[in-house]
Amino acid sequence: MPSATETIAGISRTRLKTVAEREAKRFAASRPKTRAALNEGADNYLDSVPMHWMKDWPMPFPMLVAKAKGARLTDLDGYGIDDFCLGDTGSMFGHSPKPVAKAIRKQAKNGLTYMLPTEAALEAGKLLTERFGEFKWQIATTATDANRFALRVARAVTGKPKVLVFNGCYHGTVDDTMVERRNGKTMTRPGLTGQVTDLTELAACAEFNDLASVEAELKSGQIAAILTEPVMTNSCMVLPQPGFHDGLRDLATRHGALLIIDETHTISSGLGGHTGVNGLDPDIFVLGKCVAGGMPTAVWGLRPKVAKDYLAYNAGRSSGHSGMGTTLSANPMQFACLRANLAEVMTKDAYAHMEQGAESLCSGLSAVIEKHKAPWHVVRVGARVEFICAPGPLKNGTEAAMAHMPEVEATLHTALLNRGCLIAPFHNMMLISPATKKRQIDRLIAAFDEILTELIA
């Protein structure tokens, strides 16, 4: 029997290396057009990619996409690929949903941006309230911006300096949230580019599902807001334990902090997001990525009382820049797409299809894991499914970090892609869209089985 040092996640390291090298060579050999195009044009970009995280895909070089429709991609070399990444949630409702594509064509004839609202903006505001609850809305371009602006409002309203986040969280590239909990203390995360500020002056860090650690930080009297996803994502997925969100709501109220729920990934949970499905009660609601069907858009909303308090603060502050807002946010193209997506794409029927498919995928992957006796598990949140190369369930960010197996995951990602299935590059996340077919789900399960059959022979 192999020793623990000779195996990883139940796989022989020697076998893993052999499969990884073979799959990388297979990918590279099968994409001569992509390689030639990159050799000719990629050098114009810093480190040869338009955005640095494009290097995080595990294949030997980036895949160039020629077109996308529904839940399928076609790359430059002509390969058709079942897309379960879907832009890491940005295209959760499929690539270019017809109502959204139609709205884009129509609005393009009438201008792209002019710093003024439209009738579609008024309609989108009503739809946002109908879909997500009684909030006073603002529009941003990314969830990063929405979270950043929400934190400014929370500090303004409460007069307190810090945000409380959870170990292992991700809320976009918001400086204030880039902290971790180490040996019971909040620390600035290592590896941040050009970081000069001590982020512990701006943030405190607790463990997800640990209300005692939350209360301990709130007792400092410095916490303006608790910022959390309702389910931890962008790591190995961690579900909330029973009573956790009720506890957060109670603690925030008792200690004079606002509760901000970031649904950017957990919008997969169902119509209205995890907040709507589970009856959560945030003071501020944030949603980005797919809310406008793939058009870069984010929304953030304040409960009426918080909105009233903020407007009172705003009326009394000194004139000058607020530190919130970007020129291209709230442009007419965003509103056209928001209206179309909320009214015609993000529907009850769409979610029913997505959840049915996700349940089939979850069951199928779980059966494969059980068949091969792998020490892994599968988690599902509505239309979102993730296999985790470690036993579960996980209860916090510390456990999620330990469960992350980059070597194993990279091999699986490339091997799945070579078999026509694309999953998210940063973790083992898969999404079911309204356009995803049963045969695509079956192909993914079969490919997963084929790879594990070899890895855990």
Side-chain angles (χ1 to χ4, degrees):
M1 189 147 198
S3 69
T5 56
E6 295 173 325
T7 64
I8 179 171
I11 300 168
S12 159
R13 288 184 181 274
T14 301
R15 186 180 297 274
L16 181 66
K17 182 180 179 183
T18 299
V19 173
E21 290 175 352
R22 185 196 68 208
E23 295 297 332
K25 289 177 182 177
R26 177 179 170 182
F27 175 87
S30 66
R31 286 171 168 80
K33 290 183 180 179
T34 298
R35 188 194 288 271
L38 289 169
N39 288 341
E40 183 177 343
D43 192 50
N44 294 293
Y45 289 105
L46 175 65
D47 203 20
S48 299
V49 286
M51 176 62 78
H52 67 88
W53 45 249
M54 290 179 178
K55 286 274 189 172
D56 290 343
W57 288 94
M59 46 272 207
F61 48 83
M63 183 175 69
L64 296 180
V65 177
K67 63 181 179 180
K69 184 177 181 180
R72 292 273 288 175
L73 297 174
T74 303
D75 75 359
L76 190 64
D77 284 272
Y79 290 101
I81 297 153
D82 295 328
D83 187 7
F84 294 91
C85 174
L86 294 170
D88 196 25
T89 308
S91 292
M92 189 178 79
F93 298 106
H95 295 289
S96 299
K98 287 183 179 179
V100 176
K102 181 180 178 182
I104 291 172
R105 288 193 298 270
K106 182 178 179 181
Q107 182 58 50
K109 298 176 182 178
N110 296 318
L112 301 182
T113 187
Y114 26 79
M115 292 186 70
L116 288 166
T118 60
E119 277 192 296
L122 306 180
E123 294 172 35
K126 292 178 182 177
L127 288 166
L128 284 168
T129 298
E130 289 174 8
R131 183 69 76 240
F132 301 112
E134 189 65 26
F135 295 94
K136 300 299 181 182
W137 298 100
Q138 289 282 274
I139 309 300
T141 301
T142 69
T144 292
D145 282 341
N147 280 317
R148 186 181 291 120
F149 303 156
L151 289 179
R152 281 193 175 273
V153 168
R155 288 173 169 135
V157 168
T158 65
K160 299 177 181 180
K162 290 188 176 184
V163 57
L164 175 64
V165 295
F166 291 101
N167 196 30
C169 73
Y170 186 72
H171 298 284
T173 53
V174 181
D175 278 9
D176 310 31
T177 67
M178 296 293 182
V179 292
E180 64 183 19
R181 188 174 178 88
R182 210 182 311 152
N183 299 321
K185 294 184 178 180
T186 301
M187 311 284 285
T188 298
R189 288 184 188 178
L192 295 175
T193 301
Q195 186 62 41
V196 295
T197 305
D198 178 4
L199 296 179
T200 63
E201 296 180 2
L202 304 174
C205 191
E207 284 285 11
F208 198 75
N209 283 323
D210 184 352
L211 291 173
S213 71
V214 173
E215 186 166 24
E217 298 294 347
L218 287 169
K219 284 180 177 178
S220 69
Q222 294 188 306
I223 306 300
I226 301 169
L227 172 58
T228 185
E229 293 184 287
V231 175
M232 284 195 73
T233 67
N234 248 61
S235 56
C236 293
M237 205 150 61
V238 181
L239 300 175
Q241 294 177 344
F244 178 64
H245 282 298
D246 288 342
L248 284 184
R249 176 66 275 171
D250 178 62
L251 287 171
T253 301
R254 285 198 283 119
H255 291 274
L258 299 184
L259 179 59
I260 306 174
I261 297 286
D262 179 356
E263 290 265 18
T264 298
H265 282 160
T266 55
I267 189 62
S268 67
S269 300
L271 198 64
H274 208 84
T275 295
V277 171
N278 295 281
L280 307 187
D281 184 23
D283 297 298
I284 304 178
F285 180 94
V286 173
L287 174 59
K289 290 192 187 279
C290 65
V291 67
M295 176 62 61
T297 306
V299 301
W300 55 286
L302 310 178
R303 289 293 191 197
K305 182 185 182 305
V306 179
K308 181 179 178 182
D309 290 345
Y310 172 67
L311 290 175
Y313 162 87
N314 197 48
R317 73 176 177 88
S318 300
S319 62
H321 295 293
S322 66
M324 302 192 299
T326 53
T327 302
L328 295 178
S329 293
N331 67 65
M333 188 64 80
Q334 288 176 312
F335 289 122
C337 293
L338 262 174
R339 176 177 62 181
N341 195 61
L342 293 171
E344 301 179 64
V345 180
M346 188 187 284
T347 65
K348 185 177 180 179
D349 287 346
Y351 271 107
H353 173 88
M354 292 157 71
E355 293 191 41
Q356 183 180 12
E359 178 55 36
S360 295
L361 177 59
C362 183
S363 298
L365 296 178
S366 296
V368 171
I369 288 169
E370 184 177 351
K371 169 185 169 182
H372 294 287
K373 296 182 171 55
W376 301 5
H377 71 289
V378 182
V379 183
R380 180 172 81 89
V381 176
R384 181 187 182 100
V385 179
E386 191 169 309
F387 64 84
I388 297 170
C389 305
L394 306 173
K395 68 175 184 290
N396 57 42
T398 297
E399 291 188 1
M402 293 174 65
H404 183 41
M405 302 287 172
E407 296 170 67
V408 178
E409 293 161 10
T411 302
L412 281 160
H413 285 219
T414 305
L416 286 170
L417 181 54
N418 284 337
R419 288 155 181 80
C421 305
L422 185 72
I423 68 174
F426 311 113
H427 35 85
N428 306 317
M429 189 276 290
M430 298 148 285
L431 282 165
I432 304 299
S433 79
T436 304
K437 309 297 184 188
K438 179 181 181 298
R439 61 180 177 270
Q440 293 179 287
I441 295 169
D442 291 343
R443 284 196 291 259
L444 176 55
I445 294 168
F448 186 70
D449 188 15
E450 180 184 333
I451 298 161
L452 260 65
T453 297
E454 183 171 7
L455 288 175
I456 312 181

